[in-house]
Amino acid sequence: MKKKLITAMALFSFGIMLWAQTNNLSVSVARGEAVYKKECLSCHQVDGGGVPHMNPPLAQSSNVLKDKQKIITVVLKGMSDRIPLDDEYYSNVMASHSYLTDQQIADVLTYVRNSFGNKATAVTAAEVKAIRGPVKKTTSQVKKS
Amino acid sequence: MPAIAVKRADLLQTKKIPMKKVFSFLSISFLFAVPCLANPYADTINAGLSLPKGFEASKVSDGIGRIRHLLVTPEGVIYARTSRLYKGNGILKMTAQNGDGKIDKVEGFSNYTGTGIALKDGYLYASSDDEVFRYKLNAKNEVIDAEHPEKIITGLWNKRQHESKSIALDNNGNIYVNIGAPSNSCQEVDRGNGSKGRMPCPILDSAGGIWMFKADKLNQSYAQGVRYATGLRNVVGLDWNTQSNSLFVMQHGRDNLLQDWPQYFDAEQSAELPSECMYELKKGDNAGWPYIYYNQILHKKMLAPEYGGDGKTESPRAKDFIEPVVAFPGHLAPNGLLFYTGNMFPEKYRNGAFIAFHGSWNRAPMPQEGYYVVFVPFKNGKPSGKWEVFANGFSGVKVVNATRQAEHRPCGLAQGPDGSLYVSDDNKGTIYRITYSGK
């Protein structure tokens, strides 16, 4: 009986933890959607599909799905390198979005990693903060054209 | 355990799809599937395009290369430039051999990608994103030595944004090259929220304009060329008008009025503004980028927000900058311009301008627009009427909400020897041919 009770309690608390996590995820995704609409949608488009050869897609993008550190850095510093993403070149630059808070960046990246057919773990404000540390506040992505 | 089983059964029950729906779904799929499974060259009516009465369209090729600009020789052979190598080639020579007008032979040469291509006085001219080459042609307009072109222009700016170089030639031995500005509005931080414009804009020394070179001199760069016109953010479509004996260009206007300056512009204004302008250029002209943008509703050259504008203030230097010849709505992305000199189309079209609009992305969050070919009637080198959509339906959808929903995106225009109009698509690699029968 005692064993059963402990198992039941353990299962219950595990369930609560899971519930809290999904709940946190959906709250973060909802906040992130608002940030996306204001800051990202015009270039990456309403479907996260980007603009062919101009603005890279976020949907099924290996950059978005694989390495959290990489996408956090892109949002903080912007991006102007001419490098291929999933075997395609994109010509527009992205400006730094370091004026967003750690929480806003975490939310928008969590939204992007869980929208447009993407499924990946959440990004936390602590993870953004850890990377922002070494990034200078005034960093601009294009110094001279 | 049994309780759960019941619940599952309930779930299954509620998810059961009525057979009627299944049948209608199947029959609809069948209707769509049949034309797809049939001969891939079999055209739907007018290749899916809507056209004025009496015109027809067909696809002469499909799925071959990301075709930017193209031309058709007097012999009916297509030379096309691709933005990505197609089987290792950047210039495609496409021939319709068996008489049905469809391309059935594709050859290629050149290992560089790019946009510009032109035929003039026995030479084929082609541009990469930083150089221009020419190939000597024989009497049948065939390239004599594809391996050894003459490099006539080199060292032009190629800095990621607006990198494509379009070309046009006049009848006096000059070639005109667009050098797009690698910037949206010459801001301190490009595309940065609220970032100010640099004064004076240093980009204009080397880009943001049209440069003129000699068509027959080797290895020219900035030092040998002339900045023919400035203040043009990015031009992709351009053509020499033989009636007015002058160069006409289509400018891609600036982006991000809402995104960078939300205090001055709402979503609707930012979608409609600024105008995509057609300009007629004379040597020394200045169209005003980045200091101004053109508002086609007010017919005014407005002070850009990066230089102190607020969406309501006209530029104090408005008189220093040329007037547009035609002002289209914002962000439609004019990639091809062609003055029609053929005899196939009715009199109304002679000497008028066709413009291929690639279609927008910066109208978001509003729906996107463009993805069509427009016509502007001209008389004696001046517009003689309002512009109208000539060929529509390239996108394949009623409303484009996100750019990648558009299946085909018009890019280049060419006139066939019989006066038919060719339109290229750089998304799926389709070439359309539009003819007139009057029926």
Side-chain angles (χ1 to χ4, degrees):
Chain A
M1 190 63 199
K2 206 175 176 187
K3 216 175 177 183
K4 268 191 180 170
L5 194 70
I6 291 171
T7 317
M9 274 176 69
L11 273 174
F12 179 74
S13 43
F14 184 66
I16 290 279
M17 243 172 65
L18 268 181
W19 175 83
Q21 256 181 20
T22 14
N23 200 39
N24 275 349
L25 184 79
S26 57
V27 168
S28 182
V29 163
R31 283 194 309 245
E33 185 178 7
V35 179
Y36 183 83
K37 281 182 174 162
K38 187 164 180 288
E39 302 288 340
C40 321
L41 185 146
S42 73
C43 291
H44 294 290
Q45 302 284 290
V46 69
D47 62 351
V51 177
H53 324 307
M54 195 163 258
N55 305 323
L58 305 173
Q60 283 84 56
S61 154
S62 56
N63 244 17
V64 168
L65 291 167
K66 279 186 191 155
D67 186 356
K68 285 194 214 178
Q69 196 169 336
K70 199 170 192 176
I71 44 165
I72 294 169
T73 310
V74 167
V75 174
L76 286 169
K77 295 177 81 166
M79 194 161 145
S80 63
D81 309 326
R82 187 162 169 77
I83 46 162
L85 299 172
D86 296 325
D87 200 33
E88 279 288 347
Y89 282 92
Y90 297 91
S91 51
N92 266 1
V93 298
M94 175 169 156
S96 158
H97 287 63
S98 59
Y99 52 88
L100 296 174
T101 65
D102 294 343
Q103 190 62 55
Q104 284 175 315
I105 292 174
D107 288 341
V108 78
L109 290 177
T110 301
Y111 167 74
V112 162
R113 279 162 68 87
N114 289 281
S115 305
F116 322 125
N118 292 342
K119 191 126 192 65
T121 53
V123 174
T124 65
E127 287 170 319
V128 178
K129 192 177 177 181
I131 293 169
R132 193 197 292 266
V135 176
K136 280 185 207 152
K137 264 216 156 153
T138 51
T139 303
S140 62
Q141 84 295 2
V142 171
K143 275 160 200 110
K144 221 167 175 208
S145 285
Chain B
M1 229 16 223
I4 292 171
V6 169
K7 267 190 186 164
R8 277 197 186 148
D10 281 350
L11 275 174
L12 287 173
Q13 202 69 40
T14 49
K15 277 201 172 171
K16 207 169 175 184
I17 301 159
M19 280 315 273
K20 220 175 168 184
K21 269 194 183 169
V22 174
F23 277 125
S24 61
F25 175 74
L26 282 177
S27 54
I28 287 168
S29 326
F30 186 68
L31 278 177
F32 280 107
V34 168
C36 300
L37 291 171
N39 176 6
Y41 269 139
D43 287 328
T44 48
I45 295 168
N46 289 327
L49 303 185
S50 54
L51 299 159
K53 202 173 176 298
F55 286 89
E56 298 92 27
S58 65
K59 292 178 179 177
V60 296
S61 79
D62 208 1
I64 298 176
R66 292 181 186 165
I67 298 177
R68 297 284 289 173
H69 287 172
L70 77 172
L71 61 85
V72 189
T73 70
E75 294 76 21
V77 172
I78 297 173
Y79 283 109
R81 288 293 283 134
T82 61
S83 62
R84 225 178 163 181
L85 294 181
Y86 179 77
K87 296 185 177 172
N89 300 304
I91 302 175
L92 303 183
K93 182 189 180 197
M94 307 168 91
T95 321
Q97 288 179 307
N98 68 10
D100 66 354
K102 307 286 186 195
I103 297 301
D104 45 28
K105 189 177 178 193
V106 180
E107 300 158 277
F109 55 99
S110 96
N111 59 359
Y112 53 92
T113 58
T115 292
I117 191 149
L119 194 78
K120 192 78 184 175
D121 300 334
Y123 283 91
L124 179 74
Y125 292 79
S127 66
S128 69
D129 290 340
D130 40 32
E131 298 184 311
V132 182
F133 301 88
R134 71 171 187 170
Y135 301 80
K136 183 121 186 69
L137 300 170
N138 67 19
K140 288 190 272 178
N141 287 308
E142 295 163 334
V143 171
I144 295 166
D145 185 355
E147 297 299 315
H148 301 97
E150 294 176 5
K151 186 185 285 184
I152 60 164
I153 304 166
T154 185
L156 304 181
W157 270 24
N158 171 12
K159 302 192 177 195
R160 185 169 154 153
Q161 247 185 110
H162 305 146
E163 72 277 34
S164 72
K165 304 289 180 288
S166 302
I167 52 175
L169 289 102
D170 66 14
N171 294 322
N172 279 318
N174 299 305
I175 182 167
Y176 301 83
V177 185
N178 161 67
I179 307 178
S183 170
N184 178 35
S185 193
C186 208
Q187 289 168 290
E188 285 165 5
V189 177
D190 189 21
R191 295 179 188 268
N193 204 332
S195 177
K196 289 218 173 321
R198 293 188 278 166
M199 190 71 206
C201 175
I203 292 171
L204 293 168
D205 295 340
S206 311
I210 302 288
W211 266 254
M212 182 175 80
F213 299 93
K214 291 284 167 216
D216 61 352
K217 294 262 184 316
L218 299 181
N219 296 310
Q220 304 166 87
S221 196
Y222 288 103
Q224 294 76 34
V226 174
R227 191 179 73 174
Y228 189 74
T230 189
L232 292 154
R233 177 176 173 273
N234 185 32
V235 167
V236 186
L238 75 179
D239 196 16
W240 187 263
N241 186 315
T242 50
Q243 277 207 314
S244 59
N245 209 28
S246 58
L247 183 69
F248 282 73
V249 301
M250 294 292 316
Q251 177 180 232
H252 281 224
R254 52 87 43 85
D255 301 324
N256 286 6
L257 287 174
L258 168 68
Q259 289 75 27
D260 291 346
W261 306 96
Q263 64 272 48
Y264 303 133
F265 301 92
D266 63 25
E268 207 167 316
Q269 290 168 323
S270 183
E272 288 302 321
L273 302 173
S275 169
E276 304 280 64
C277 293
M278 178 194 283
Y279 291 107
E280 179 182 11
L281 299 180
K282 302 272 183 253
K283 196 174 170 184
D285 276 347
N286 186 343
W289 179 90
Y291 311 115
I292 63 128
Y293 67 89
Y294 193 75
N295 181 321
Q296 74 277 19
I297 299 154
L298 302 175
H299 307 287
K300 277 182 179 164
K301 294 166 214 150
M302 311 298 284
L303 189 59
E306 289 78 8
Y307 293 89
D310 56 3
K312 299 184 186 84
T313 311
E314 193 176 358
S315 165
R317 292 174 58 200
K319 275 185 274 169
D320 298 347
F321 307 127
I322 55 171
E323 291 289 334
V325 174
V326 188
F328 297 93
H331 313 295
L332 306 188
N335 273 10
L337 171 65
L338 178 128
F339 286 101
Y340 184 78
T341 55
N343 292 316
M344 180 190 273
F345 292 1
E347 182 61 33
K348 161 186 170 179
Y349 294 93
R350 204 143 312 142
N351 302 310
F354 284 101
I355 300 142
F357 284 101
H358 203 217
S360 69
W361 61 272
N362 201 243
R363 291 173 77 92
M366 308 298 282
Q368 304 302 340
E369 185 63 36
Y371 315 94
Y372 42 55
V373 175
V374 151
F375 176 72
V376 188
F378 267 66
K379 244 191 187 120
N380 305 318
K382 303 261 178 255
S384 58
K386 284 197 171 138
W387 65 272
E388 61 194 37
V389 174
F390 173 75
N392 205 350
F394 293 90
S395 74
V397 289
K398 274 205 170 128
V399 180
V400 178
N401 284 309
T403 307
R404 75 165 172 177
Q405 292 166 351
E407 194 181 355
H408 301 284
R409 303 184 72 189
C411 186
L413 295 170
Q415 188 181 302
D418 59 356
S420 56
L421 181 71
Y422 289 74
V423 184
S424 70
D425 147 46
D426 67 348
N427 199 38
K428 288 276 165 69
T430 302
I431 299 177
Y432 298 83
R433 178 167 172 257
I434 300 173
T435 52
Y436 180 78
S437 70
K439 284 176 200 155

